[in-house]
Amino acid sequence: MYTFLKKDILVLFRDRTELAVLLAMPFILIAILGFALSGLLSGNSEVLSMDVAIVQEDNEQLGLEQFAEELNGSGIPAEARSRIMAAAQETSPSSILQGILTDESLRELVTAQEMDTAAAAEALEEEEVVAILTIPENFTLNALQKMLMDTGGGAELELMIADHAATQSEVFTDILEEFVWSLNFESAIAQAANGEAPAPEETSVQFGGVESVSAVQPISSFQYYTIGMAVMFALFVGATISGIAFVEKQQFVLNRILLSDQHPFVYLGAKAISAATVTFLQFCILFFFSSLLFGAFDLTNWSFWPGMLLIGFTLAICVGALAAFLTALTMRFNNDSITTVFAGGVVTIFAFLGGSFTPTEGMPDSIQKLGGWTPNGASLNAFLIWLQNLEIVLLWEPLSRVLLLTIVLLILSLLIFPRKGEA
Amino acid sequence: MLETEELKKVFKGKTAVEGASLYLDKGESVGLLGPNGAGKSTTISMISTLLKPTSGDVRLNGKSIIKNPSEMRRILGVVPQEIALYGELTAYENLKFFGRIYGLSGKALEGAIQRSLELVGLAERQKEIVKTYSGGMKRRINIAAAMMHEPEIIIMDEPTVGIDPQSRSHILEMVRQLNHEKGLTVLYTSHYMEEVERLCDRVYIMDHGKIIASGTKEELKSILSSEETVWIELDRPYPAFFKDLQSFKVIKQAVETEKGIKLILPKGSRILGEVFQASERHQVEIINVNVQKPSLEDVFLHLTGRKLRD
Ligand SMILES: Nc1ncnc2c1ncn2[C@@H]1O[C@H](COP(=O)(O)OP(=O)(O)OP(=O)(O)O)[C@@H](O)[C@H]1O
Ligand SMILES: [Mg+2]
């Protein structure tokens, strides 16, 4: 296997045109698209922009007043009372939530609209909003009691998420978790200032489960197109490797390989491994230089790269299967027009559907669905999820699609490939 | 050690080889002669396990190789008619790869590469990209690649087509040495009668997918022992003159080429007078007339009514 891999890479490396297509072209496109469309993409948090409905049943002012009353009746010394009251005004959960939702960095992402319960439900039904956040009655009071005096059952936010926009609602959930986290953080400080710091989970505003500190990252145009081009040009590797296989057959080198008593499937497997390896190298090179030249990614961020490499690796394996599939077809029909059609047309269509040129979010549903099932589109989605720091579990859906495609392609290749090596 | 029995190959209704039976003894050098499209390469592909025969069998030491090709592949070296090399790689890299797929590695691999390169006389130029080689050099590396695993039988399919005389004579000398000194069994395919005459002990002649004659060179020539060849050299072709000659009852075969006309006729036929009369009638300028003993080429002409090459 290693012998075949080394030879394929050597052959590829000597072929300047192929190398240019696989490595130089994506850079040129990243540069062009990245610069030209940088405007489009900064508004391209549009991709993930969402409307949410806020149902405000809580009255913050009233809550604070009630809290003050209760505090006064509690028998706590006056000096401490005024300190707690000050903390209450400072950390009023409602205000913090308001602050987060209208924050500069989030404004492009989330448009929060206050509605009444009925209107919100209707908006959700009509898919006008992706989530309804209900701030229940006495939220301020209950939260403050729990946070500052450790009495009562705490407060809960109610979140209703639409199933028509999984990614977006996930983003929103993340935002809320950030809120919960910062609230706990604030309350810990407040409690510390108060001289009594109970264990954090006791003061948690109960919401969600995980206290992740994730914040949604906006995506730059260079980031978007580095990924977009990487997944698109990965497909070309499949065509390139099956092209090499066809030349090997044409120039009768394949006969020599068969004469050496290598099983034809070893040859096919070697093609898959070569394509996967080349694709993975291509990813690394593209990511590295795009970070260096265009500042697409932070090269020193160690927690960032494993995810990128994992997704890249998954797609690389899929491209390996794709190369095997194209090789099998080429050998079966003794004709490389399949590869030519693939490289000349199918890749472009896939790239379009998968969102390599322009985000698919604005496109019709059917195209988005189709694109999500192309190996490049699915990996692009996975990359975007990772880039935006969303929940890791969300990666599973696109990655499982890529893996499924890999398996299907491999099975097809084995069925199609002429076993005796003779067409 | 190797024999084929009634080998037959049909490609989509077109019969390429029909009932080819031949054998190779250990250490022998055997020629397979035939014009374009005779079925030589197809026969060789079947012998070398690359092509499944439609019917018939190939046996190595009595055992059929059609179901179990491994043993055959291990001891067989094939020099294909085409240059089967990676044009983008150097000769050294090519040989290294082909050695590796035969399971060679380390010192043994390096040794095999240098041995093969020296055999074909290209050791000094091993680091050059194959694409940049001359036709003759490519042919030589094509042979070297088949020698990497030290085969016991080597099958060469027209290893000298389209190359310069120097490379050609190098290759011929090399094959002769391998056969004589190393005891390699050789099956040599060619259009060139003189190559086969020089290299081979025995010859098979193929035409239209069939073996039409076989035997030692002497046996084959004796087919024509009662005949002789008259070669008439002309300054240019004269179709009318040629037609006239063809109508002579005594002439068995007549072939026209650019430079003249070849006639095969029974020994002792006194025909030259009539030929000269005909030449006067057609105002033909005869440069030279030559009466020859038959060559293998003439045997072929006699058997098929065709020349080996056009
Ligand atoms: N794969 C194939 N499919 C269909 N026909 C074929 C195939 N290979 C060979 N043939 C046909 O079989 C016949 C014999 O071909 P083959 O290559 O064996 O001849 P050859 O004696 O080697 O000729 P040459 O001297 O030109 O190499 C030819 O008519 C050729 O067209
Ligand atoms: Mg041939």
Side-chain angles (χ1 to χ4, degrees), chain A residues 3-4 6-7 10-11 14 248 251-253 255-262 420 422, chain B residues 48 50 52 70 73 78 82-86 88-89 93 97-98 100-102 142 145:
Chain A
T3 306
F4 286 100
K6 211 172 129 191
K7 179 261 308 166
L10 206 55
V11 169
R14 294 274 159 81
E248 283 177 329
Q251 301 190 338
F252 301 92
V253 204
N255 278 351
R256 278 204 198 281
I257 294 169
L258 294 174
L259 277 173
S260 73
D261 215 19
Q262 298 280 354
K420 284 303 291 175
E422 60 177 78
Chain B
S48 55
L50 284 175
K52 260 211 166 71
S70 294
R73 288 175 178 169
V78 178
E82 302 79 13
I83 308 286
L85 299 168
Y86 291 98
E88 314 284 342
L89 306 188
E93 288 160 349
F97 173 70
F98 292 124
R100 278 248 167 83
I101 59 175
Y102 274 101
N142 205 29

Side-chain angles (χ1 to χ4, degrees), chain A residues 317-363:
Chain A
I317 290 176
C318 188
V319 172
L322 176 69
F325 176 65
L326 290 174
T327 302
L329 281 175
T330 302
M331 296 291 170
R332 166 52 50 113
F333 299 108
N334 197 16
N335 191 326
D336 73 337
S337 51
I338 297 132
T339 303
T340 316
V341 168
F342 181 79
V346 177
V347 170
T348 318
I349 296 172
F350 274 26
F352 175 75
L353 290 177
S356 281
F357 297 119
T358 162
T360 55
E361 243 70 13
M363 295 183 197

Side-chain angles (χ1 to χ4, degrees), chain A residues 28-49:
Chain A
I28 295 168
L29 286 170
I30 292 168
I32 294 173
L33 293 169
F35 279 120
L37 302 179
S38 59
L40 181 130
L41 262 212
S42 52
N44 183 24
S45 5
E46 293 268 330
V47 174
L48 273 172
S49 90

Side-chain angles (χ1 to χ4, degrees), chain A residues 217-230:
Chain A
Q217 303 280 340
I219 294 173
S220 79
S221 62
F222 279 113
Q223 289 177 330
Y224 190 86
Y225 285 113
T226 300
I227 300 166
M229 292 301 117

Side-chain angles (χ1 to χ4, degrees), chain A residues 150-232:
Chain A
D150 200 17
T151 58
E156 278 182 37
L157 286 169
E158 283 165 24
L159 183 68
M160 194 182 264
I161 296 173
D163 16 294
H164 69 266
T167 316
Q168 291 168 330
S169 7
E170 183 63 32
V171 172
F172 190 60
T173 311
D174 268 344
I175 297 170
L176 285 181
E177 279 172 9
E178 187 189 15
F179 160 68
V180 171
W181 178 82
S182 77
L183 205 59
N184 291 341
F185 185 68
E186 299 266 349
S187 87
I189 297 206
Q191 301 243 6
N194 212 15
E196 36 178 297
E201 66 268 16
E202 282 177 37
T203 59
S204 284
V205 173
Q206 284 141 13
F207 172 76
V210 199
E211 287 192 14
S212 70
V213 196
S214 68
V216 181
Q217 303 280 340
I219 294 173
S220 79
S221 62
F222 279 113
Q223 289 177 330
Y224 190 86
Y225 285 113
T226 300
I227 300 166
M229 292 301 117
V231 297
M232 171 177 171

Side-chain angles (χ1 to χ4, degrees), chain B residues 54-163:
Chain B
T54 309
S55 66
D57 201 3
V58 181
R59 281 190 290 266
L60 177 68
N61 298 324
K63 275 182 280 188
S64 173
I65 60 159
I66 291 173
K67 286 267 158 56
N68 297 302
S70 294
E71 173 64 10
M72 180 70 161
R73 288 175 178 169
R74 199 176 56 75
I75 63 159
L76 181 72
V78 178
V79 181
Q81 185 168 356
E82 302 79 13
I83 308 286
L85 299 168
Y86 291 98
E88 314 284 342
L89 306 188
T90 66
Y92 177 83
E93 288 160 349
N94 266 288
L95 295 184
K96 192 166 188 171
F97 173 70
F98 292 124
R100 278 248 167 83
I101 59 175
Y102 274 101
L104 295 174
S105 63
K107 279 225 172 71
L109 176 63
E110 202 58 36
I113 295 173
Q114 297 314 327
R115 181 177 46 73
S116 302
L117 282 167
E118 261 150 44
L119 188 71
V120 298
L122 281 176
E124 305 95 76
R125 309 194 56 177
Q126 54 181 286
K127 299 281 182 208
E128 290 172 36
I129 304 274
V130 165
K131 216 167 44 174
T132 65
Y133 280 171
S134 73
M137 289 160 71
K138 283 183 199 158
R139 288 263 159 218
R140 279 144 80 173
I141 297 297
N142 205 29
I143 296 172
M147 300 299 298
M148 285 295 291
H149 60 296
E150 302 195 56
E152 292 171 30
I153 304 176
I154 185 145
I155 299 183
M156 305 179 117
D157 196 352
E158 302 185 32
T160 60
V161 268
I163 63 174

